[in-house]
Amino acid sequence: MKKMGSWQRWLLAATVLLISSVCLAQEKGAAQDWYAIDSLNTGLTQTPGSVSLRTPRESMRSFRDLTNKGDFESAAHILNLADLTPAEQRGRGAERAQQLSEIFQRGKSIRISRLSGRQDAAIEDPTGESPHAGEPRRDIELASLEANGDTYDIRLGRYQVGNEEPIWLIMPESVAAIPPLYQEYGPRAFERHIPESLKNSFGLLRIWEWIAIPLVLLGVALIGKGVYRLIEVVTRWLPSGSPSIFAKQIRGPMALIVMSLLTQALLDYVVSFSAAATITLRVVLIAILAWGTGTVALRLVDTMMLKMTRRLAGQIDDSKPQDDRKLLTTLYAVRRIIILIMVTAVTIYVLGQIQLFETLGLSILASASVLAVLVGVAGQAVLGNILSSFQLSLAKPIRVGDLVMFEGQWCYVEGIFYTHIRLRLWNERRLIVPVTYFASKAFENLSSKSTKEYRSLVLTLHLSADIAVLREKFIEFAKAEDNVIEHHKLLCCVTDQTGPAQTVTCYLMTVDPLSGWAAEVSVREKLLAFIRDNHPEWWPREIVVISHRDIARGHATNDAAELDP
């Protein structure tokens, strides 16, 4: 047998060293899958045989079943009481288990079905999107709760005592957090007087909660109604004007704010419901409080705008200076910006208070394309109106108070809102037009540069009418009208002629379209009255032409007499 060479011996040694290192690394990695401890809960009695602690799901299921039966001494074996002495473990173990059960019921409801059913608690992700899929874990988070401004985590850890099989227990750090959390989420003093029979669970809630929650909501609703009536009475004492208008508009929001604050105080200091009811109530209360506060602020802005409108412009029409109408339009634009900012702020506040950013943020980012399509399709009309509204406010083709001719109707622009424009018709009716529809149609702004308008009235008279006399009377009547200006532009002339009649058109300049219409009809009535009383022969009529001389000279009676045999 040949002796091994030196290089062969070095190669063999390197191979043995490499294999040993790999085995050591694997053993070390395996040891990191749990926390190795020498002893566990030595102050407690022996662990009941019915308790299964191999997986996180089994541990929490055992804890739930034991606490529901009131066997808190057995439930204490699911807590790692390493921070307590053996004597303290015997005296406080069952108490800590009971307190943790109350915390889970009121502070954070644990969905056991979502916990891992694997002994190593490895993340199972068939899609392969999780970077930690398949990696063993030696501790997992059950809940994260706040108390007195601090955040506490309730975690499960995997422990191995000697060579025994690893088990999942509530970690010592979490056990130490039970007293402050119990002080925050534990039952209130009045619950001690509730009969034990009413503390049994019935569905999602306990029996006494099904009775107490409607009574609490009814009492809060009555208080809210009282606040509403109180503000209504106070409104009658306030002077008329902006104070009374503002107080009348905030009756409902203020009642909701008081109801929300009162219910919140009851949940914090008087009564403590189960986690499902408490979380639902707190989310609703936060949303109501934010909405009510935002509404009150918006009503304050509206009242200030109304006061400024009445002081600066008075009646909304085009009789006011152009600068005042621009100011009103800018105020409406500012109102829309304030609403947008308030809605965004309230939404961020509500989401932040109910701590949805962690879950919603990832979902929104993961499905951004789907959300974009849904928003684009479902909200196309609303978004289009909002963008068109801002476009009108910035470009100002119309202003609040302008007189416009829209689809054949005279109307004043009373308001430019997010989704619609409110128009006041000449007969005091209101026309509500979507912003996109208004912006896509041609309209005539009669107040764009100047409110002056050159108007005309048309008369159809007989060919024998004396235009010089009629022109003289028209100028006389037009100058007598207060709304007719620039008298040097008054004009009366024949604009058309047919066989039996001629068309006479009179032109006059007026201060604004609506006043011009009134001046036009007034002058027309006076001219018709003058013709009726002084020259009725000027009315157009059907005639039989006997000779052209009859038409040219107007002697129809004499010519007829000469032809009469």
Side-chain angles (χ1 to χ4, degrees), residues 228-450:
Y228 184 91
R229 296 299 184 189
L230 178 62
I231 297 178
E232 194 174 47
V233 172
V234 172
T235 303
R236 300 172 186 171
W237 297 342
L238 294 175
S240 59
S242 299
S244 60
I245 293 175
F246 175 67
K248 188 175 182 180
Q249 289 180 337
I250 64 171
R251 292 175 299 178
M254 284 301 299
L256 291 176
I257 290 175
V258 172
M259 292 167 61
S260 176
L261 294 176
L262 179 60
T263 308
Q264 188 73 38
L266 290 175
L267 293 177
D268 290 338
Y269 304 107
V270 180
V271 64
S272 177
F273 297 121
S274 298
T278 302
I279 292 173
T280 302
L281 285 175
R282 289 188 186 278
V283 170
V284 173
L285 293 176
I286 290 172
I288 291 177
L289 180 62
W291 177 85
T293 305
T295 303
V296 171
L298 181 60
R299 294 291 180 263
L300 178 61
V301 173
D302 286 340
T303 304
M304 295 173 59
M305 285 186 57
L306 178 62
K307 185 176 181 179
M308 293 182 65
T309 300
R310 290 179 174 178
R311 181 166 57 89
L312 296 176
Q315 178 71 13
I316 298 179
D317 55 30
D318 62 347
S319 61
K320 298 298 178 181
Q322 186 173 349
D323 291 340
D324 289 349
R325 299 201 305 273
K326 283 185 177 180
L327 176 60
L328 285 177
T329 307
T330 303
L331 288 177
Y332 273 92
V334 170
R335 179 183 184 273
R336 289 195 296 277
I337 294 174
I338 292 175
I339 292 176
L340 184 61
I341 294 174
M342 288 175 55
V343 169
T344 304
V346 167
T347 303
I348 294 175
Y349 171 76
V350 172
L351 292 178
Q353 288 296 313
I354 62 179
Q355 297 179 351
L356 287 181
F357 275 129
E358 293 83 354
T359 55
L360 284 183
L362 295 177
S363 301
I364 290 174
L365 291 176
S367 57
S369 58
V370 177
L371 289 175
V373 173
L374 291 177
V375 171
V377 174
Q380 182 177 5
V382 176
L383 294 176
N385 281 316
I386 292 176
L387 293 177
S388 298
S389 174
F390 277 108
Q391 179 185 359
L392 290 178
S393 299
L394 295 176
K396 291 185 175 63
I398 57 171
R399 298 175 297 272
V400 176
D402 280 359
L403 177 62
V404 298
M405 181 70 70
F406 181 69
E407 294 189 340
Q409 300 190 80
W410 283 3
C411 41
Y412 285 106
V413 179
E414 266 198 338
I416 304 173
F417 303 97
Y418 264 120
T419 58
H420 66 277
I421 296 176
R422 188 175 68 222
L423 304 175
R424 187 178 80 235
L425 303 182
W426 62 274
N427 56 3
E428 294 300 324
R429 296 172 63 188
R430 298 305 189 270
L431 184 65
I432 307 300
V433 184
V435 181
T436 53
Y437 181 81
F438 184 91
S440 63
K441 298 291 182 178
F443 60 90
E444 184 178 359
N445 191 338
L446 303 177
S447 308
S448 179
K449 293 297 182 182
S450 173

Side-chain angles (χ1 to χ4, degrees), residues 6 43 64 78 133 136 138 144 159 192 199 218 249 257 264 350 360-361 376 398 407 409 515 542 546:
S6 58
R64 180 198 62 189
I78 308 176
R138 60 177 181 174
S144 181
Y159 297 92
R192 300 172 185 171
K199 294 182 179 180
L218 178 60
Q249 289 180 337
I257 290 175
Q264 188 73 38
V350 172
L360 284 183
I398 57 171
E407 294 189 340
Q409 300 190 80
S515 300
E542 295 292 336
I546 299 177

Side-chain angles (χ1 to χ4, degrees), residues 208-230:
W208 73 268
E209 292 176 332
W210 289 106
I211 302 172
I213 290 176
L215 293 177
V216 169
L217 295 179
L218 178 60
V220 172
L222 292 176
I223 294 176
K225 186 176 181 180
V227 173
Y228 184 91
R229 296 299 184 189
L230 178 62

Side-chain angles (χ1 to χ4, degrees), residues 493-521:
C493 55
V494 178
T495 56
D496 197 9
Q497 181 264 330
T498 60
Q502 58 183 336
T503 301
V504 181
T505 306
C506 302
Y507 300 91
L508 65 165
M509 180 68 74
T510 58
V511 293
D512 60 75
L514 194 59
S515 300
W517 179 83
E520 174 193 331
V521 297

